[in-house]
Structures are given as C-alpha cells and as structure tokens.
Amino acid sequence: MMINGTQKCPRVVALVGPYSSGKTTLLENILYMTKTTRRRANGERVFGDDSVEAKALSMGVDANVASAEYLGDRYIFLDCPGSIELLQETRFAVHSADVAVVVADPEPDKIQSLSPLLHELEAEGIPHLLFINKIDHSNVHIRDIAQALDEVSALPSVLRHVPIREDGEISGFVDLAARRAYSYGADGSFEITETASSYIEQVNDERFQMMERLADFHDDLMEELLEDIDPQAEEIFSDLAKDLKEGRIMPVLMGSAINSFGLRRLMKALRHEMPGFELAATRMLPEVTSEPAAYVLKTKYLPHMGKLSFARVLSGGLSDGMTTAGTKVSGLFAVDGADLKKASKAGVGDVIAIPRLEGLTTGDTIGAPGAPRPQKLHPVYAQAITVHDRKDEAKLSDALSRLVEEDPSFEVEHREDTGQLLLWGQGEIHMRTAMARLSEKYGVGVTFSFPQVPYKETIRRSKVQHTRYKKQSGGHGQFGDVVIEVSPKGLGQGFEFSEKIHGGSIPKQYIPSVEAGVKEYLKQGPLGFPVVDVSVTLQDGQYHNVDSSDMAFKTAGRMAMADALPGCEPVLLEPIEHVRVMAPSSYMAKINGMITSRRGQIMGFDVRDGWPGWDQIEAQMPASEMQDLIIELRSVTQGIGTFEHEFDHLNELAGRLKEQVLEGVEEKRRL
C-alpha cells in the first residue's frame, strides 16, 4: 500500500488497559459491529488468546491481532495483555501502533492503575485516547473520573462525552464537541434525542472546561472564549485532531463494551481525529528510506511451524522470497486472530507474520538495524528451576532459549555460587506463564522454588599454617609441604595470593599449584559458603625430588586452607542490594514500613521524574529479604509499584539470623 493518498494504510490501534477492564470484549463487539464476526460478545470470550498459558491463567498473555473495516477504512487491532507483569509484551506491541485506546474502569480509585500504561504511551509519543468502559455499572460522576485522570496523566485529559442517566440507567450521552445529545439503541447505535436541549444545558460547565483546555494551545479559541463566542463544532474537532496528533492532550470517551454503547462513537473518533501511519512511521523509522523495512512486534513459536515473527511493514513492502538487508523473507502469512493465511505480499502499514527469521528478535527492525526499539524491563522476581526428569536438561536449555526469545523480559542466570539455574521475570503471574509454556508447549516438566541466597564468608584474624601432604601407595608417592599465612582483607578487596619462597624450598613450578589448591578450597569455606576478601602468602615448604608433583602441592594448598580457616574466626556475609522503589506518593508510608520490616535502610526520597504523582525511595536491603518483595509491593500499590535493584556490598550477618542460615547448611549436609 502507498502512503501518498492513492491508497490508505491500515491503521494499527493498540488496545491497552488493566486486567478485566474489558479490552477484549470491546474488540469482540467492534468486530461484531463491523460484521467481521457473526457473534456478539456477552461476557463469554468470542475472540482472543487461546494459548496454553492463557488457558492455564484464565487471562490473556499475548498481544492478539484482529482486523476490521469501518466506513471504508481498514483497522488492525492489537489486543494487549492487561497484567502489569506482562508489560513487556504490551510495550513491544504498542511501539508499532498508530494510536492507542486505553480502556479503564469507571472508578476513580482504580484510575491510578493506569499510570504505567499512560507513561509508556507518553514516553513513546504515541497518540492515545481513554475509553471509560462499564459506564452503565457506575454511579460515579464523570467529572470525578476526569479529575482522577488528571492526577496520573502528564497530558491534560479532555472529556468528550457526558453520560445521560434516566431513572438511574445510562440511556445516552452528550457529545461536548458537537453539542448534541444522543440516545442509545438496543444494538449500540445512537440517534439525537427529542429532549436534546435540556441535556445540553446541564453539561455547559463540562463543555466550557473542555474548550478551556484546548484554548491553552489555540489563541483563536481563547479569544472566542474571552468574548463569549461559542466556537463552531468544526473548529473544535479540528483542534482536537491537531492536539492529539501533536501529543498535547488525552481525549476521554465512554461507553459500555458489553452493550456496544459508545463503540460507533469510538470508531468515528479513530477515523476522523486519530493520526495515521505517517506519524508512526516517522517515530519508528527516523531515517527516510524506500527500502523494505519492518518492525518485529512479537515472536512466537508454534507447533509444526517453528519460529514466527509478527511484524509491521514500515516501508517498501514485503513479498515472499525477497531478500532485504541480508534477511531472507521466506513465506508470509496474513494474521487475523488465531488464523494464519498464506500471503504473497504485504503493503506498507500491514501487520504480517514471517516464519524462520533467524538472527532477529522482538524489537528489531528488518532493514533498519539502528531504528529505535523499546527498552527491556528490569527483572524483579527470580525462581530456581529444577527439571522433573534429568534427561530433560538439554531440552530445558533449548526451551528457555525460546522462552526468552518470545519474551525478552525473562532472563536466565546460571549462578555459580549456588549451582542453581535461575529464571528472572516480572512476578508470580509471569512465572506461571513460563511454567505453562515449558510444560505444555515445550514438554519440559519443571519445579520452581525460591533461589538460595548467595551468602559468602570471610575471616577476622590471621593465622600461619604448616601442612604436609604425604601419601605412599606403591611406586611414586605424593609429597607436598607448605607453610602459608592467611590474613583478612577489607570487604570488597577480593582475593590475593603471594609467595616469599627463599632458597628453593619449593620449586617455582609448584607455586601455581599451591595457589590453585587455595582457590579450590575458597569455593566452600568452614561455614559452607565461598570465602572472599582474604590474602594468602606462601612462606615456606619442602619438596621431594621423586614424590613431589603439581597435584601433590595443589592438595597441600587445599589442606592447609582447610586446617587454617576454622581458626581464623570465620564470619558469615550476606549480600546487600541497592534498591530503588517506585510507586504513587499515596503509598509511600506503607512502603516505608515494608522496607524497614525487611531490614532495609532508607537512604533517600525523591520525586519520580516524568511520572505525575509518583515518588521513589532509595534503600539498601538484604538480598534474602527481597525474594518476594515485588509480591508485597504490588499488593499495597494496586499492582503498579515496582523497583530496580543491583548488588551493592556484602555485610556481616550475626545473631539468630546467622544461626538459622548455618542450621540450614547443616541440614543439607545431613541429607
């Protein structure tokens, strides 16, 4: 498709919003209204995510694609998952959209949960409007909802509609821009009411506030308001479209997805007021090119098909069998829900599925490797993975690689200190999707558990140790004799090995072997953990012309450390993380208590830059206290609080907590 006016690109609309806000129902009834599907959604799922993970969790976990035509224009909808733990999936999908519709519940105390989504859209520069859903189930005044929106949005919310209530029921709405009142039909259609003027007079304050907000960006409109001139509807619609395109405002519409109320008005707003592909193309592909380019918004592995990359064509178009920028496009599929149909080509603006795009991951742009890409979420929750059957260990490695490719907000870590394989992600729900995929999709049964804390140990005092290793078992024996001095170093100063051998008491070729034996012992000290921050000096020793060897001196070095360290006053060290907790200001008192209850030390407070109404706390916290931190944090912040963390230092652990750790070590040794 061309973008010069001879043909229109399809508009890509991302539907975003918290879990259970009604995004999928909204999409299903848009598809029904546009005669794309034959069944109307009435609370049961008609269209959407049918993956094994979605079935296991009873919620959508993938961004799903659907298309529809309305008044001659083609729309591609991306129905994004609602859980905050699946924000990475939403982030990649939204990056490809022309516009976004944020679906919200009609309750002011739930509006705060929109903060992460609104910030994503504002940071990306994606034009967006807000659709207040379930308006028929709310008695809250629309003005209160608009006020709550202003507290979480960096853009001023511009209320477009006010509901009409008759006998406690929603029967229609007043369009503040058009200055008309409409009543709803049973099928969601609307028509001008016979008593329109009385309803219009009741919402003069809301209409004037809407025009005041637009007047902040339009001098002509400001002059008209100052002179008590009622602006023409065409002027207001023009200002709305311009301000939306330039990222100045967030229009607010309303309706009821399940009753199809407000859906036609929403589609008309998308048609007349929303910017099209040109703005998105400029954002996604800053350097103009006529060469084929496409942004990969999603990666998925399907049975019997393998890797499938969902991409939006940004320039040039794609055709089956072509090669662009060294990438072979072998096969194309048109996408509509779970249906994949073979296609020979895809035009600019289309969303297409491409199989076997090796070397490209979600967020990459085919043909434009330097194009902007969404950031990856910081991991906040880890689980140790154990396979049910050891024969599946090789299979697990491949499955995890695919899991991370499908969702880059997962990270895999092989922790040498504890010998555990860790999967990092965004929370409990995120981990449950991983377990479902590994088990049902990739056939690898696994058990998840909290990771072992990577404790360390060090020493407080020095000791000189003389140890001899002597073994005779026929033929050449084994002989190594060493005198070492073990001394503590400051925390964080690491390990140091040196030697002061004089007179050849130990030949130089054996000294590295002593060091190797020392290092081998340091992997597990007398308390059962790796030893850090010590210096070891090889002072003296003896050797045998026949029986000494590298292995003998390595063994002697290890034995000398085992003899010395229990007498050096070993100290248990726990890792301390630097944590930056971010949440709405109203929750900070609870978060302070949460941090201190977890032995955390608060280091400072600040506002969170670019997030209206949010603060951040800098703190230091033991790693052992952070394993379920995200769970408690989200429980006290309506699910939207988050944190970033990094290792800071090691600190001595004493008292009862130390005893509990060592009791756990002893129990494992007995087992």
Side-chain angles (χ1 to χ4, degrees):
M1 291 186 181
M2 305 298 292
I3 58 173
N4 58 8
T6 58
Q7 282 184 294
K8 290 183 178 180
C9 289
R11 290 189 177 184
V12 173
V13 181
L15 300 178
V16 300
Y19 170 67
S20 79
S21 59
K23 300 182 300 299
T24 301
T25 301
L26 175 65
L27 174 57
E28 288 172 342
N29 278 339
I30 286 175
L31 297 178
Y32 176 77
M33 180 190 75
T34 57
K35 299 182 180 179
T36 307
T37 58
R38 297 181 179 180
R39 182 179 168 192
R40 179 175 174 178
N42 58 5
E44 296 181 1
R45 183 178 292 273
V46 176
F47 168 90
D49 190 352
D50 62 352
S51 64
V52 293
E53 312 94 278
K55 292 175 181 177
L57 297 173
S58 300
M59 64 185 297
V61 300
D62 280 327
N64 284 283
V65 184
S67 61
E69 287 194 7
Y70 183 71
L71 299 180
D73 293 332
R74 182 166 168 244
Y75 295 84
I76 298 174
F77 293 94
L78 305 177
D79 183 18
C80 300
S83 171
I84 192 68
E85 297 183 21
L86 306 173
L87 181 60
Q88 189 72 61
E89 178 86 2
T90 297
R91 180 177 281 183
F92 280 126
V94 162
H95 183 73
S96 69
D98 299 326
V99 298
V101 176
V102 184
V103 184
D105 285 295
E107 301 175 33
D109 60 351
K110 288 187 177 182
I111 293 297
Q112 186 75 65
S113 65
L114 300 176
S115 291
L117 291 171
L118 294 180
H119 181 77
E120 290 287 326
L121 297 170
E122 291 157 3
E124 279 271 337
I126 298 173
H128 55 282
L129 62 77
L130 192 128
F131 183 83
I132 302 174
N133 193 21
K134 308 176 188 177
I135 197 69
D136 53 324
H137 292 162
S138 173
N139 293 320
V140 177
H141 197 288
I142 197 74
R143 190 183 299 144
D144 296 335
I145 300 175
Q147 183 177 348
L149 285 170
D150 286 335
E151 295 176 1
V152 299
S153 173
L155 303 181
S157 62
V158 176
L159 189 62
R160 292 290 315 281
H161 302 150
V162 174
I164 296 174
R165 300 180 189 273
E166 293 181 326
D167 300 325
E169 300 289 332
I170 299 293
S171 61
F173 67 94
V174 177
D175 188 315
L176 298 178
R179 208 167 184 272
R180 291 177 179 174
Y182 299 88
S183 60
Y184 287 126
D187 62 350
S189 61
F190 55 91
E191 59 183 16
I192 297 177
T193 66
E194 296 180 358
T195 56
S197 59
S198 63
Y199 292 124
I200 292 170
E201 293 300 321
Q202 294 175 28
V203 297
N204 278 337
D205 289 346
E206 284 81 2
R207 185 169 189 270
F208 185 78
Q209 186 181 53
M210 176 195 70
M211 292 189 294
E212 269 192 323
R213 296 203 163 186
L214 294 177
D216 288 339
F217 312 107
H218 303 280
D219 293 339
D220 292 345
L221 181 57
M222 178 64 75
E223 289 179 8
E224 289 177 325
L225 295 182
L226 292 174
E227 296 174 9
D228 291 329
I229 298 174
D230 191 14
Q232 295 295 312
E234 291 77 10
E235 178 185 356
I236 296 175
F237 282 121
S238 176
D239 290 345
L240 283 166
K242 183 177 181 180
D243 293 342
L244 184 62
K245 179 179 180 180
E246 296 182 2
R248 296 170 174 170
I249 62 171
M250 180 179 68
V252 180
L253 284 71
M254 42 144 253
S256 169
I258 200 167
N259 293 317
S260 297
F261 292 167
L263 271 59
R264 284 179 171 81
R265 191 66 197 85
L266 170 62
M267 290 303 297
K268 286 189 174 182
L270 292 175
R271 184 171 191 262
H272 295 295
E273 300 169 31
M274 297 286 150
F277 173 73
E278 293 85 352
L279 184 64
T282 302
R283 184 188 75 247
M284 300 172 67
L285 205 60
E287 295 184 6
V288 178
T289 177
S290 59
E291 297 298 317
Y295 164 76
V296 180
L297 63 99
K298 179 179 177 62
T299 301
K300 194 167 186 176
Y301 280 87
L302 297 179
H304 313 300
M305 186 174 288
K307 181 181 177 180
L308 202 61
S309 300
F310 296 77
R312 188 175 193 197
V313 183
L314 303 182
S315 69
L318 297 179
S319 59
D320 189 3
M322 73 182 300
T323 298
T324 176
T327 300
K328 175 82 171 188
V329 178
S330 181
L332 293 173
F333 291 92
V335 187
D336 196 1
D339 296 330
L340 297 173
K341 297 180 180 178
K342 286 188 176 180
S344 60
K345 60 182 179 179
V348 172
D350 271 331
V351 173
I352 200 78
I354 311 170
R356 299 177 296 278
L357 274 184
E358 300 305 325
L360 290 168
T361 61
T362 309
D364 289 340
T365 300
I366 306 166
R373 59 178 295 131
Q375 290 184 338
K376 192 174 74 168
L377 292 171
H378 194 283
V380 293
Y381 188 74
Q383 292 281 275
I385 307 176
T386 306
V387 292
H388 294 166
D389 189 336
R390 291 183 63 89
K391 292 185 295 184
D392 286 339
E393 287 183 352
K395 198 175 179 181
L396 174 64
S397 178
D398 183 61
L400 288 174
S401 177
R402 293 187 173 191
L403 182 72
V404 172
E405 194 170 4
E406 287 185 311
D407 183 351
S409 64
F410 284 118
E411 291 183 11
V412 178
E413 177 190 357
H414 295 268
R415 185 169 282 178
E416 292 184 8
D417 290 352
T418 61
Q420 290 185 308
L421 177 65
L422 306 186
L423 181 64
W424 285 89
Q426 305 303 314
E428 283 186 305
I429 292 174
H430 202 211
M431 287 298 171
R432 287 167 60 192
T433 69
M435 181 176 285
R437 286 181 185 174
L438 292 173
S439 174
E440 302 298 328
K441 191 172 182 178
Y442 299 119
V444 183
V446 297
T447 299
F448 282 177
S449 60
F450 278 125
Q452 298 172 21
V453 178
Y455 292 105
K456 303 287 190 297
E457 57 182 276
T458 191
I459 57 174
R460 280 183 175 160
R461 61 185 294 266
S462 300
K463 184 177 182 181
V464 175
Q465 177 67 42
H466 178 202
T467 296
R468 172 174 291 181
Y469 171 58
K470 184 177 181 180
K471 187 176 182 182
Q472 194 73 38
S473 57
H476 290 304
Q478 295 289 325
F479 182 88
D481 184 289
V482 297
V483 178
I484 62 171
E485 181 181 13
V486 184
S487 301
K489 298 187 71 176
L491 286 178
Q493 292 184 4
F495 167 74
E496 181 183 14
F497 180 86
S498 60
E499 55 90 9
K500 297 180 180 178
I501 298 298
H502 298 288
S505 58
I506 298 178
K508 288 191 177 295
Q509 68 264 29
Y510 295 142
I511 293 176
S513 299
V514 177
E515 182 179 1
V518 168
K519 287 181 176 178
E520 185 174 286
Y521 176 81
L522 293 177
K523 293 178 181 178
Q524 184 173 329
L527 302 182
F529 300 100
V531 182
V532 297
D533 301 326
V534 298
S535 68
V536 177
T537 302
L538 178 60
Q539 295 182 335
D540 201 355
Q542 297 181 51
Y543 77 102
H544 189 278
N545 286 330
V546 176
D547 292 343
S548 288
S549 65
D550 287 326
M551 181 58 67
F553 274 99
K554 180 180 179 180
T555 303
R558 185 178 65 248
M559 290 174 58
M561 291 294 291
D563 293 340
L565 258 69
C568 293
E569 295 185 20
V571 173
L572 183 63
L573 302 174
E574 66 173 341
I576 305 296
E577 300 272 313
H578 184 84
V579 188
R580 184 180 298 107
V581 183
M582 296 154 285
S585 308
S586 56
Y587 299 116
M588 282 300 159
K590 291 182 179 179
I591 292 173
N592 289 346
M594 181 184 69
I595 291 174
T596 55
S597 71
R598 291 171 176 262
R599 298 191 290 131
Q601 181 180 359
I602 295 175
M603 311 299 289
F605 299 83
D606 203 352
V607 297
R608 190 179 186 188
D609 188 37
W611 290 68
W614 280 55
D615 289 338
Q616 63 183 31
I617 297 177
E618 303 275 345
Q620 291 187 346
M621 186 181 297
S624 61
E625 302 285 351
M626 292 184 57
Q627 294 188 328
D628 61 349
L629 176 64
I630 192 63
I631 298 173
E632 183 179 2
L633 178 60
R634 288 192 173 131
S635 73
V636 300
T637 61
Q638 290 191 48
I640 58 175
T642 189
F643 67 88
E644 296 176 353
H645 64 103
E646 59 185 0
F647 172 76
D648 192 80
H649 66 279
L650 293 169
N651 195 47
E652 182 179 347
L653 182 64
R656 181 55 187 157
L657 292 175
K658 173 185 175 181
E659 296 305 317
Q660 289 175 347
V661 172
L662 298 184
E663 286 170 6
V665 173
E666 287 301 317
E667 184 176 349
K668 287 182 180 179
R669 285 173 174 168
R670 288 194 297 270
L671 295 176

